[in-house]
Amino acid sequence: MLEKKQIRKTPFRQEVLKLFKASKNAISLKEIERNLTSFDRITLYRTLKLFIEKGLIHEVLHSSGKKYALCKEQCDEHQHQHNHLHFHCSSCKESFCLKTHIQDLNLTGYIIEQTDLSVHGVCKKCNN
Amino acid sequence: MLEKKQIRKTPFRQEVLKLFKASKNAISLKEIERNLTSFDRITLYRTLKLFIEKGLIHEVLHSSGKKYALCKEQCDEHQHQHNHLHFHCSSCKESFCLKTHIQDLNLTGYIIEQTDLSVHGVCKKCNN
DNA sequence: TTTAAAATCGCAACAATGTTGCATTATTAT
DNA sequence: ATAATAATGCAACATTGTTGCGATTTTAAA
Ligand SMILES: [Zn+2]
Ligand SMILES: [Zn+2]
Ligand SMILES: [Zn+2]
Ligand SMILES: [Zn+2]
């Protein structure tokens, strides 16, 4: 998986990737740090930056901070192509990547490279 | 305008609001700081926080940092209700609030409180 | 296998932004 | 005018982002 994205395989990167694979939802920097046996802050920073650049993970933006999640689509070093939305639950604070289709946006004259749809509310589980 | 949003009128807040009124697009913290005659970092931080809480301005999220823009809709202390998208131009680095209609999202079981659509690309002006 | 090149890592150092407490000052209502 | 209330300015600290550089590790070549 790392090789496929042209990322050199190292023990630390494998551990970080393993963490992402085990995470159902997007995870914050703190959550990542908590779940690593040991880590260097800067190395982790550069690892995440590289993973993003290579199209392995993508950022999930939120007013209170960033989260990160594996890319499910065909993202690469040139572009992130996501057609899913990010749902932020105000109750459990989780951020989900949900499949959806964003309509064609009527933006004549603009070149659209990437769209990100962020939705805030209460998720299925918390709405029971 | 401040009174309408139940924000106490002070010289500093008036100057910040004036800045927002004069800005066509969303502005970053640095841009705000650059355009104030003098400022205290913490007071500015709290002013922006208050303006957001009271529904006077809204955050415009971007991977490289936040920007802020006046709310054009009927936002208040309870909720921000935006139906526009944020276009981030990779050329001029400006962030525009553009009017659009977001389709009904097929999210059965979820409670939707707020949606934010962020689009990255090249704006009209830079695409000439 | 040995060696050289290239990339990664770990640390220091610093920048930017976010956040709280508290004493002082300004605003508002009585 | 006075008292209550809120805003301000400062110190202090937390979090995250970012770069440089030497040491270490990985990869490729000889
Ligand atoms: Zn992606
Ligand atoms: Zn996602
Ligand atoms: Zn708003
Ligand atoms: Zn906007």
Side-chain angles (χ1 to χ4, degrees), chain A residues 58 60 69 82 84 86 97:
Chain A
H58 61 283
V60 179
H82 299 172
H84 65 268
H86 292 138
C97 294

Tab-separated table of all heavy atoms in Angstrom, chain A residues 58 60 69 82 84 86 97, ligand 2:
chain	number	residue	atom	x	y	z
A	58	HIS	N	-6.320	12.038	3.627
A	58	HIS	CA	-6.768	13.400	3.350
A	58	HIS	C	-7.155	14.083	4.659
A	58	HIS	O	-7.489	13.425	5.632
A	58	HIS	CB	-7.940	13.428	2.368
A	58	HIS	CG	-9.167	12.706	2.852
A	58	HIS	ND1	-9.282	11.343	2.843
A	58	HIS	CD2	-10.336	13.169	3.356
A	58	HIS	CE1	-10.464	10.995	3.316
A	58	HIS	NE2	-11.127	12.073	3.647
A	60	VAL	N	-9.441	16.307	7.120
A	60	VAL	CA	-10.852	16.578	7.379
A	60	VAL	C	-10.877	17.835	8.229
A	60	VAL	O	-10.503	17.796	9.401
A	60	VAL	CB	-11.517	15.401	8.113
A	60	VAL	CG1	-12.982	15.712	8.399
A	60	VAL	CG2	-11.393	14.123	7.300
A	69	ALA	N	-8.001	11.055	7.516
A	69	ALA	CA	-8.629	9.778	7.188
A	69	ALA	C	-8.032	9.221	5.902
A	69	ALA	O	-7.550	9.982	5.047
A	69	ALA	CB	-10.146	9.946	7.030
A	82	HIS	N	-12.147	13.421	-4.166
A	82	HIS	CA	-13.126	12.873	-3.228
A	82	HIS	C	-14.537	13.231	-3.657
A	82	HIS	O	-14.808	14.361	-4.036
A	82	HIS	CB	-12.889	13.437	-1.823
A	82	HIS	CG	-11.544	13.095	-1.271
A	82	HIS	ND1	-11.069	13.631	-0.117
A	82	HIS	CD2	-10.584	12.266	-1.711
A	82	HIS	CE1	-9.867	13.145	0.120
A	82	HIS	NE2	-9.550	12.326	-0.832
A	84	HIS	N	-17.059	12.313	-1.485
A	84	HIS	CA	-17.811	11.994	-0.274
A	84	HIS	C	-17.900	13.244	0.608
A	84	HIS	O	-17.212	14.225	0.380
A	84	HIS	CB	-17.164	10.840	0.481
A	84	HIS	CG	-15.802	11.140	1.021
A	84	HIS	ND1	-14.646	10.887	0.329
A	84	HIS	CD2	-15.411	11.676	2.191
A	84	HIS	CE1	-13.610	11.249	1.051
A	84	HIS	NE2	-14.039	11.748	2.185
A	86	HIS	N	-18.082	14.973	4.613
A	86	HIS	CA	-17.618	14.781	5.983
A	86	HIS	C	-18.701	15.218	6.952
A	86	HIS	O	-19.124	16.373	6.941
A	86	HIS	CB	-16.327	15.569	6.214
A	86	HIS	CG	-15.172	15.033	5.440
A	86	HIS	ND1	-14.259	15.814	4.796
A	86	HIS	CD2	-14.808	13.747	5.179
A	86	HIS	CE1	-13.377	15.039	4.170
A	86	HIS	NE2	-13.689	13.793	4.388
A	97	CYS	N	-16.565	9.870	7.043
A	97	CYS	CA	-16.538	10.034	5.588
A	97	CYS	C	-17.747	9.290	5.042
A	97	CYS	O	-17.823	8.073	5.145
A	97	CYS	CB	-15.249	9.448	5.002
A	97	CYS	SG	-13.740	10.306	5.500
E	2	ZN	ZN	-13.087	11.859	3.979
